[in-house]
């Protein structure tokens, strides 16, 4: 991971330029609002994925990666909130962004190049997502609980235990 | 919508097929046990009543068939973990012996072979049956000393009907096949060796371990040819495995392995990976068979090292039955090719279903375990790498000559959009 001296924020130009250099098949556009959107194809394991990356320097705390096509889906008989490591969007679960690093682990900052971090992690996420569909287990490196369903389940359990103490 | 594959890669299917091949082949341990069987065969024959007929007083005994071309695979069904090996014993057959006498004498000579459970006299060989291995021993008469790579005659001796001699040259065929595969497939060989370290399944050691322990104590030259780690040979193993499963359910006659081996040698190397090799191998052979069916002809393959040796003299059968034989094989090969093509762009789940279907559920189950172990990084910090452009994941500890980039270390982590409280 390359960082500038003193953890200085990377400019939009630097992010666009790095993406052009390292991921030439991705198309990057900077909107008038300052939002940068990249679209590109990855094939980390068996399937080809069309993904979009959203980054707004100074506005977003992290880059958002969304799988456009084929859209993410739960395992058969499962639910969207069981898909591991999402920034879970309850309104549009199949458009949930991928949660690619541990915010408490200082694994990413605006001093990092998306081309050198986020895209790698997105490809890795997609590979482990395919393996999860196959095995039912998330085999990649994780911090904390794996899915929102697990978080909710753990919270529900904690509430039940707390409620028992009240009685 | 499914995106076309702009990277023109079948890396994942290649990876899974290579795993599958390492599971169905002889493991290094199994090869040692097989090697020992050949050595025992030599000493046993030299101490038998056949000894006076051995050439120059010493038996020349060698591997033939799939063990010699390095394409031996587990026999077939999920319950049948047997390997079949073939051996040739060269002798000078006296002129006054009938065509059935060599096999009769061989059968007697092989009595009390160490570890054998049953001895069966077959039409062209004597079969030694061990717990998890069958060895077909064939007599080759080289008395005529025909020029070439050890050509001679074997003996066709059925229970009913007249016995006769059949021109044969297994030694020459092995040499020919091994010379036909593309040399210097270094990257493929390295990858295959790595896969063997995780994928090999030793089947013989469990029941025949004592034999190999003794074999290890002897420093003797190899009795079976070295492994032939070529893409063509690996594709042939997969094709043979698929056909074994296909024919297991049928009453029609299966094509001889040597016919498939001959075609594989003729067909040669295909650039583009193991999936591409297997796909084209199957489809091309099917096309040739369809051509014969349309033209009213039949394949008549000769041993390239000895043209009198007709390698598919018993398949397909004559007449209409032979047409049905060819249709059955062509259909099976076309189905295999179509499934491989589908799997080349399928999800991991669908590829796994295909592996179960094409190569057997027990093999598929082992393959999934291997794949899981290869990528499981929950309890270790092994770095993972990625190929540029496609973002293809390169498994941990699987070095490659290609340019790869290491993925920066991190940990995945979930939360709910809009929630302040993260896990």
């Amino acid at each position: 991971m390359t960082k500038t001296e003193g953890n200085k924020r990377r400019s939009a130009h630097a992010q666009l330029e790095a993406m052009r250099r390292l991921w030439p098949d991705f198309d990057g556009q900077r909107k008038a609002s300052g939002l940068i959107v990249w679209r590109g194809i990855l094939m980390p394991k068996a399937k080809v994925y069309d993904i979009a990356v959203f980054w707004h320097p100074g506005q977003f705390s992290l880059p958002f990666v969304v799988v456009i096509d084929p859209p993410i889906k739960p395992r058969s008989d499962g639910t969207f909130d069981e898909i591991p490591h999402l920034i879970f969007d309850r309104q549009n679960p199949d458009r949930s962004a991928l949660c690619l690093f541990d915010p408490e682990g200082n694994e990413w900052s605006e001093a990092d190049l998306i081309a050198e971090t986020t895209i790698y992690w997105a490809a890795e996420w997609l590979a482990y997502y395919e393996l999860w569909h196959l095995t039912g287990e998330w085999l990649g490196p994780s911090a904390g609980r794996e899915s929102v369903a697990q978080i909710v389940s753990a919270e529900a359990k904690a509430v039940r235990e707390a409620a028992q103490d009240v009685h | 919508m499914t995106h076309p594959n702009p990277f023109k890669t079948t890396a994942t299917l290649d990876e899974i097929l290579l795993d599958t091949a390492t599971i169905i082949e002889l493991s290094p341990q199994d090869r040692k046990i097989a090697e020992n069987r050949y050595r025992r065969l030599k000493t046993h024959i030299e101490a038998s009543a056949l000894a006076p007929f051995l050439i120059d007083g010493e038996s020349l005994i060698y591997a033939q068939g799939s063990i010699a071309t390095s394409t031996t695979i587990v026999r077939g069904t999920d319950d049948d973990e047997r390997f079949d090996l073939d051996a040739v014993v060269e002798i000078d057959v006296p002129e006054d012996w009938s065509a059935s006498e060599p096999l009769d004498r061989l059968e007697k000579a092989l009595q009390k072979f160490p570890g054998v459970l049953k001895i069966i006299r077959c039409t062209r060989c004597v079969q030694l049956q061990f717990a998890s291995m069958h060895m077909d021993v064939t007599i080759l008469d080289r008395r005529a000393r025909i020029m070439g790579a050890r050509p001679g005659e074997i003996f066709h001796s059925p229970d009913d009907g007249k016995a006769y001699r059949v021109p044969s040259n297994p030694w020459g065929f092995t040499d020919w096949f091994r010379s036909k595969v593309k040399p210097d497939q270094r990257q493929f060989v390295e990858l295959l060796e790595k896969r063997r370290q995780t994928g090999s399944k030793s089947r013989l050691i469990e029941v025949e371990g004592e034999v190999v322990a003794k074999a290890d104590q002897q420093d003797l030259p190899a009795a079976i040819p070295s492994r032939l780690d070529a893409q063509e040979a690996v594709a042939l193993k997969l094709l043979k495995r698929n056909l074994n499963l296909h024919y297991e359910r049928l009453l029609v006659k299966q094509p001889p392995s040597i016919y498939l081996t001959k075609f594989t040698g003729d067909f040669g190397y295909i650039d583009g990976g193991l999936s591409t090799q297997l796909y084209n191998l199957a489809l091309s052979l099917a096309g040739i068979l369809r051509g014969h069916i349309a033209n009213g002809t039949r394949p008549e393959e000769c041993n390239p090292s000895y043209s009198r040796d007709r390698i598919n003299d018993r398949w397909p059968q004559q007449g209409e039955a032979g047409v049905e034989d060819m249709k059955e094989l062509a259909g099976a090969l076309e189905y295999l090719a179509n499934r491989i093509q589908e799997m080349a762009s399928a999800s991991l789940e669908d590829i796994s279903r295909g592996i179960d279907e094409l190569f057997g559920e027990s093999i598929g189950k082992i393959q999934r375990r291997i794949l899981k172990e290869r990528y499981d990084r929950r309890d270790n910090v092994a770095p993972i790498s990625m190929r540029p452009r496609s973002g293809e994941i390169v498994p941990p500890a699987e070095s490659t000559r290609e340019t790869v980039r290491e993925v920066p270390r991190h940990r995945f982590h979930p939360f709910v959009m809009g929630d302040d409280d993260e896990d």
Side-chain angles (χ1 to χ4, degrees):
Chain A
M1 192 180 301
T2 309
K3 295 189 180 185
T4 55
E5 213 172 301
N7 276 1
K8 190 181 169 189
R9 178 196 295 166
R10 297 283 190 168
S11 68
H13 175 75
Q15 296 286 10
L16 283 160
E17 196 50 41
M19 280 295 290
R20 211 171 355 255
R21 182 166 44 85
L22 291 174
W23 301 96
D25 300 315
F26 275 69
D27 179 35
Q29 287 188 0
R30 189 179 184 186
K31 310 285 185 191
S33 64
L35 176 72
I36 305 172
V37 181
W38 288 276
R39 283 286 291 271
I41 302 286
L42 290 173
M43 190 178 181
K45 202 82 205 96
K47 297 288 288 179
V48 176
Y49 296 91
D50 175 5
I51 69 164
V53 184
F54 303 95
W55 172 235
H56 200 154
Q59 300 291 315
F60 289 178
S61 60
L62 49 87
F64 287 83
V65 178
V66 174
V67 182
I68 305 298
D69 188 58
I72 56 171
K73 62 175 186 182
R75 300 185 83 229
S76 55
D77 301 328
T79 54
F80 272 98
D81 62 357
E82 290 171 353
I83 301 175
H85 303 300
L86 291 179
I87 302 171
F88 190 62
D89 183 344
R90 294 189 195 281
Q91 274 71 50
N92 300 292
D94 66 337
R95 284 287 186 262
S96 295
L98 316 183
C99 195
L100 301 173
F101 63 91
D102 177 8
E104 293 177 3
N106 295 317
E107 293 172 339
W108 193 86
S109 77
E110 292 180 68
D112 292 308
L113 288 170
I114 288 168
E116 291 183 348
T117 53
T118 308
I119 305 299
Y120 283 75
W121 296 338
E124 188 187 4
W125 189 96
L126 289 165
Y128 278 104
Y129 164 75
E130 288 191 33
L131 287 159
W132 172 74
H133 266 281
L134 179 69
T135 65
E137 295 175 74
W138 185 266
L139 303 173
S142 289
R145 300 194 189 281
E146 282 181 4
S147 67
V148 167
Q150 283 185 7
I151 295 171
V152 170
S153 170
E155 285 172 354
K157 186 180 173 204
V159 169
R160 275 196 302 273
E161 285 170 359
Q164 277 183 344
D165 286 347
V166 170
H167 295 294
Chain B
M1 174 189 154
T2 301
H3 279 274
N5 177 353
F7 307 111
K8 310 283 185 221
T9 175
T10 53
T12 298
L13 183 56
D14 290 350
E15 174 187 1
I16 290 172
L17 287 175
L18 198 59
D19 284 340
T20 305
T22 63
I23 299 164
I24 60 175
E25 70 176 13
L26 283 171
S27 72
Q29 193 67 28
D30 291 340
R31 280 178 64 85
K32 283 185 182 175
I33 295 170
E35 171 96 22
N36 190 55
R37 289 279 185 242
Y38 284 95
R39 288 177 184 166
R40 287 282 180 98
L41 181 62
K42 181 176 169 65
T43 54
H44 192 85
I45 294 279
E46 285 174 355
S48 76
L50 271 183
F53 308 102
L54 299 173
I55 297 167
D56 299 328
E58 190 182 337
S59 60
L60 184 60
I61 294 172
Y62 48 86
Q64 69 153 333
S66 63
I67 187 74
T69 54
S70 194
T71 56
T72 299
I73 54 166
V74 63
R75 176 69 192 110
T77 71
D78 282 355
D79 301 325
D80 184 358
E81 296 252 296
R82 195 186 76 223
F83 290 106
D84 292 341
L85 308 176
D86 300 285
V88 171
V89 179
E90 285 190 3
I91 67 170
D92 282 339
V93 175
E95 280 184 62
D96 59 341
W97 285 14
S98 71
S100 60
E101 200 165 343
L103 288 179
D104 292 342
R105 289 188 180 235
L106 177 64
E107 186 182 10
K108 280 181 193 160
L110 290 174
Q111 297 303 312
K112 296 184 180 173
F113 192 92
V116 75
L117 302 176
K118 196 173 180 184
I119 299 175
I120 307 282
R121 167 81 141 74
C122 304
T123 306
R124 291 188 179 182
C125 67
V126 175
Q127 186 174 77
L128 299 171
Q129 296 188 353
F130 304 99
S132 51
M133 179 198 296
H134 287 180
M135 180 182 264
D136 289 350
V137 186
T138 304
I139 292 269
L140 183 88
D141 179 15
R142 287 204 57 233
R143 190 164 47 84
R145 296 293 188 274
I146 304 162
M147 290 286 286
R150 318 193 75 84
E153 289 176 321
I154 60 170
F155 299 89
H156 183 96
S157 175
D159 289 340
D160 301 315
K162 198 177 171 208
Y164 56 89
R165 289 165 169 262
V166 179
S168 183
N169 183 209
W171 182 283
F173 183 80
T174 299
D175 280 354
W176 172 82
F177 181 76
R178 296 178 79 92
S179 71
K180 289 293 284 185
V181 300
K182 188 188 172 201
D184 200 22
Q185 299 181 33
R186 214 164 8 159
Q187 195 173 331
F188 185 80
V189 173
E190 283 176 11
L191 202 52
L192 187 51
E193 275 306 318
K194 284 183 190 301
R195 294 295 160 77
R196 279 198 185 113
Q197 288 167 15
T198 53
S200 278
K201 184 183 179 197
S202 293
R203 294 169 169 90
L204 307 185
I205 188 67
E206 291 167 15
V207 286
E208 306 192 31
E210 192 186 335
V211 174
V212 76
K214 288 176 182 169
D216 279 343
Q217 293 166 11
Q218 301 169 32
D219 187 17
L220 294 171
I224 57 177
S226 59
R227 280 194 192 276
L228 187 61
D229 287 339
Q231 183 174 277
E232 303 94 302
V234 173
L236 176 59
K237 285 180 200 176
L238 293 166
L239 185 132
K240 283 166 58 175
R241 168 73 186 180
N242 173 252
L243 291 179
N244 283 351
L245 293 188
H246 175 80
Y247 278 92
E248 180 188 50
R249 302 186 291 266
L250 304 173
L251 294 173
V252 295
K253 198 168 180 185
Q254 189 166 352
S257 176
I258 192 171
Y259 173 66
L260 305 171
T261 309
K262 166 70 167 46
F263 181 75
T264 302
D266 285 337
F267 186 70
Y269 178 86
I270 291 281
D271 206 12
L274 183 55
S275 317
T276 309
Q277 181 84 41
L278 179 58
Y279 170 82
N280 284 286
L281 184 69
L283 205 58
S284 298
L285 182 53
I288 286 170
L289 292 166
R290 292 290 182 205
H292 281 298
I293 294 165
N295 297 328
T297 55
R298 44 179 282 137
E300 291 186 358
E301 294 292 337
C302 295
N303 184 335
S305 70
Y306 185 49
S307 60
R308 291 187 64 211
D309 179 0
R310 295 176 54 234
I311 63 174
N312 63 316
D313 62 333
R314 292 190 286 179
W315 188 96
Q317 300 166 79
Q318 297 296 331
E320 194 53 39
V323 175
E324 292 305 313
D325 286 345
M326 289 190 283
K327 282 182 181 171
E328 188 62 48
L329 179 57
L333 292 167
E334 285 159 354
Y335 185 77
L336 172 63
N338 288 338
R339 290 294 284 122
I340 292 295
Q341 188 175 35
E342 287 168 3
M343 288 157 70
S345 58
S347 67
L348 269 184
E349 281 177 289
D350 287 338
I351 291 174
S352 285
R353 275 190 277 272
I355 296 292
D356 283 354
E357 179 200 348
L358 297 176
F359 306 108
E361 287 181 12
S362 64
I363 301 297
K365 190 175 172 187
I366 298 170
Q367 195 284 320
R368 283 189 287 281
R369 176 180 56 74
I370 292 167
L371 194 72
K372 182 179 161 184
E373 287 171 359
R374 181 175 301 137
Y375 288 96
D376 193 344
R377 291 163 63 235
R378 289 174 293 188
D379 297 324
N380 70 51
V381 289
I384 198 161
S385 301
M386 190 170 289
R387 291 199 168 84
R389 291 195 62 195
S390 66
E392 180 195 329
I393 292 289
V394 179
E398 194 152 281
S399 69
T400 169
R401 290 163 190 276
E402 296 170 74
T403 309
V404 293
R405 299 170 184 161
E406 190 172 316
V407 176
R409 286 171 192 272
H410 72 120
R411 291 173 302 169
F412 294 108
H413 177 78
F415 64 90
V416 180
M417 191 136 109
D419 282 9
D420 290 327
D421 295 333
E422 294 168 3
D423 180 46

